[in-house]
Structures are given as structure tokens and as C-alpha cells.
Amino acid sequence: MSDRTLEMNADTAARAAGGEASVRDFLALLKPRVMSLVIFTALVGMVAAPGGLHPVLAATALLCIAVGAGASAALNMWYDADIDAVMGRTRLRPVPRGAITRGEALAFGLILSAFSVLTLGLLVSWAASALLAFTIFFYAVIYTIWLKRSTPQNIVIGGAAGAFPPMIGWAAVTGGISVESIVLFLLIFFWTPPHFWALALYKSDDYARAGVPMMPVVAGDRATRGQIWLYSLILAPLGLLPAAVGLGGPLYLAVSTILGVLFLALAWQVRSGEGAVAAKRLFAFSILYLFLLFALLLAEPMMGIAPFASLLGGVS
Amino acid sequence: MVQDRRDDLPQEKDETFFKRRRSRSIAIALVLAGLVVLFYVVTLVKMGAGIFNRAL
């Protein structure tokens, strides 16, 4: 046996035993990019909520929500290590790369989950803490372990996990759930299918190789394009709803109308079968769409633009 | 019991192993210290300004 082979065997043995990972590997386990989106939407939920929260408590809530999101990402990478290893997009994640063992990822995810949920409950709000716990459970167990490998509707139902952060932010301030926070939830919930299916349209080979029953793999491109169009038809008017429930003002209404029309136009191009280019364009635009809508809800109060009176009257 | 040396690793891998373990330990220490500070500051915030208003 050559020296190189011996070295590789020793390396593999060490990795199997664990303890080789750097701090950076553990940080990668938290999916920092997804985490930043979670922080952003949770912040919007907090700012949009009536009432106020001390800045220290608000920062604490955001930290807990971010760590909770990171914990669920670590649990996702623990369970999905086998399919991550065969997909081009995910094969360099810490577990398939061999930098972190599955056991380490599981322990890391569980410890962070417990810390984030308990800290949020003890320091800020038990209602927000319960929602965070449910979000982690939903993402790790309902989506990752159950739905992802069993149904092409995986990201439709699983999308709820990504839609909870603004509700958690809202609950951290108000101590509960209301129609307005449910509207923010629905916005992300109905945005998720066209967003992920647009990606899946041009990454379907990857999903097929991993055996993940994404819509294009199971039902084909044509059916997926039709579904994207249907969900976009629901999403575009939903984008206006924050203005109707007293979260957004005139600027929000104007921009969300334009963005909704653009979203529909791009979704129509995808439906018409204009290939991977149209799907890539919709995928990229969908990120901008959600970012701009939430950024406007954040910016309007700072610009001194008052929201419309809620059509719901005093109901909340 | 903490293992002092990994017999299954060549010398240079051994050094990397200990270096990484040290940096992980430092990171855990920083996180725990951060938690202590966080709970301390939030306690002050929750008690409010009244914390300074007491007989000496």
C-alpha cells in the first residue's frame, strides 16, 4: 500500500471518528445565507407589529430566531447527507465533504435548537419561543425527514417552515398571532413553490440523481410550468394584501402591483415553455420580488409613510 | 477521559487536529461568555431603571 493510500485511510478513519472539523465547518452547517433571509423577514415582522420592544430584547429575539434557523439547517444536513453527496449544488457541504460527521451535525443541531428556543422563551416571549420550536420541528421532521423524499408537494407544505420567521418576529413583540402576521406568512408560503420549482426546472437532473421527487422529476416539465403559473396567480394578489390589512402604505401598494405584474409576466414565459432561460429569470426575479416587498414594509415607517387603514377594522 | 494523542493520525494531521480542537474550544468559550453577558444585560433591561433606585 502506498504512503498516499495510508494517509488517506488515516484521514478517513479520523473523519469517521469526528473531531476534525474547524469552526468554519460548523458555521457552514448553519446555512448562513438562508439565515440572513430569516433574520430579515423576522425583523420585518417585528417592525410591522403594533407596540414596541426594547432594542436589547429585539436583538435577542432576532439572535434566537437566527440560531434556531441555523439549528434546523444543521438537522437538515444531518439527515440529508446521503442525497447532498450526489447533488452538485450540495456535495461540498460539511457532512458530505467529510469535514463533520453525521453525529456531530445531529448533536450540534439539537443543542442549538434547545438553546435558541429556551433563550427566546426565558428572555423575550414564550409565544414566540413555541412558534420557533414548531418551525424547527416542521423543517427538520415534517419537511426533511418525511415530505422531501416522499412527495412532489414537498416544498409546498415544507415551505411553511420558511414562512414562519415573520410570525415569530411578530409574536416576539405582541405575544401572539394575528391576521396581519398570517398575511406575511401566506406571502412567503405561496412564493415558495414558484421560486423552488423554477430552480428545480433547470436543476432537475440533480434532484433525479438524488432520488428527490421534485415536481419536474415526477410530473415532468410541462406540469411543473403549469403549477408555477397557478401559484403565481395566487401570489400576485397576495402581494397586495399587506396594504389591505394595514401593514403597507401607498408606496408599498404601487411597487407590489408592478412587481406582481412582472412576476406574472415571467411566470407566463415559463408556462409558455421558453426553456431554462425563462426559469432562471423567474428564479432570480422571485428573490428580488420577496426582498423588495419585505424591504418596503421595513422602509415605509422609516420614510414616514403611514400604512393604509386596515380593511379589517379593529379585528386582529 | 480526554485523549491526548490520536494514534491513528500521522504527525502533521495530529497537529491540525489539536489546532482545530483548540479553535473550537475557544469558540465555545466565547459563545458561553456571550450568553452570560446576554442574560446579564437582559436582566438589567427587564428590571428597568428602578434597579438603581434603592436604599444603600
Side-chain angles (χ1 to χ4, degrees):
Chain A
M1 214 182 284
S2 69
D3 286 354
R4 174 79 186 135
T5 315
L6 279 172
E7 192 180 320
M8 281 173 67
N9 285 347
D11 199 29
T12 310
R15 283 177 170 173
E20 272 278 278
S22 66
V23 173
R24 188 176 294 184
D25 292 325
F26 278 100
L27 288 177
L29 216 51
L30 302 174
K31 293 191 188 171
R33 275 165 58 188
V34 176
M35 202 192 238
S36 62
L37 203 68
V38 167
I39 294 172
F40 177 61
T41 55
L43 175 68
V44 172
M46 288 172 82
V47 172
L53 195 62
H54 191 285
V56 171
L57 295 181
T60 305
L62 280 180
L63 179 71
C64 292
I65 295 168
V67 173
S72 52
L75 293 172
N76 170 273
M77 287 197 214
W78 153 69
Y79 193 79
D80 275 351
D82 55 339
I83 54 177
D84 281 353
V86 293
M87 284 170 58
R89 195 169 60 85
T90 53
R91 68 190 164 79
L92 290 178
R93 283 178 174 175
V95 182
R97 189 157 41 88
I100 292 179
T101 65
R102 288 187 70 181
E104 285 172 329
L106 174 63
F108 189 59
L110 289 176
I111 290 168
L112 288 188
S113 299
F115 262 88
S116 58
V117 169
L118 288 175
T119 307
L120 186 60
L122 285 168
L123 301 186
V124 186
S125 153
W126 284 107
S129 167
L131 270 175
L132 180 63
F134 183 69
T135 306
I136 297 170
F137 167 79
F138 199 93
Y139 187 71
V141 178
I142 306 289
Y143 171 68
T144 304
I145 296 178
W146 180 29
L147 296 171
K148 187 171 178 179
R149 298 169 192 237
S150 59
T151 167
Q153 296 296 324
N154 48 15
I155 53 106
V156 178
I157 307 163
F164 277 120
M167 276 183 95
I168 305 173
W170 183 283
V173 177
T174 64
I177 297 169
S178 66
V179 175
E180 294 91 333
S181 69
I182 293 172
V183 166
L184 294 178
F185 169 88
L186 289 175
L187 193 52
I188 305 181
F189 184 77
F190 281 98
W191 166 88
T192 307
H195 169 75
F196 273 109
W197 283 335
L199 172 75
L201 273 178
Y202 63 92
K203 289 276 183 192
S204 59
D205 290 352
D206 237 9
Y207 287 113
R209 199 165 44 240
V212 180
M214 287 298 276
M215 187 68 84
V217 178
V218 178
D221 279 10
R222 194 182 146 86
T224 308
R225 290 198 297 262
Q227 292 280 323
I228 286 176
W229 172 243
L230 284 177
Y231 274 92
S232 303
L233 279 176
I234 301 171
L235 178 67
L238 252 178
L240 313 180
L241 218 51
V245 296
L247 291 175
L251 182 64
Y252 177 87
L253 184 64
V255 177
S256 61
T257 306
I258 296 166
L259 290 174
V261 170
L262 286 172
F263 200 107
L264 283 175
L266 290 172
W268 181 258
Q269 285 177 3
V270 172
R271 185 181 185 263
S272 309
E274 290 185 26
V277 180
K280 277 182 187 171
R281 220 163 24 213
L282 179 66
F283 177 73
F285 180 77
S286 67
I287 297 169
L288 183 72
Y289 173 84
L290 196 71
F291 171 76
L292 283 178
L293 290 193
F294 274 78
L296 276 169
L297 291 176
L298 200 62
E300 270 192 341
M302 292 175 187
M303 293 160 77
I305 300 172
F308 289 119
S310 174
L311 295 178
L312 300 165
V315 179
S316 68
Chain B
M1 202 172 126
V2 178
Q3 201 177 350
D4 290 330
R5 191 181 187 290
R6 299 279 298 249
D7 294 333
D8 53 349
L9 295 177
Q11 184 65 35
E12 65 273 24
K13 289 281 176 186
D14 200 31
E15 282 167 18
T16 314
F17 173 78
F18 283 112
K19 214 170 141 185
R20 287 186 176 172
R21 186 163 77 178
R22 186 177 157 74
S23 63
R24 286 201 308 270
S25 302
I26 292 170
I28 292 169
L30 287 174
V31 168
L32 288 176
L35 261 180
V36 171
V37 172
L38 181 71
F39 272 77
Y40 180 73
V41 172
V42 171
T43 305
L44 288 184
V45 166
K46 290 209 162 197
M47 291 175 96
I51 193 174
F52 299 112
N53 188 17
R54 63 190 177 94
L56 293 172

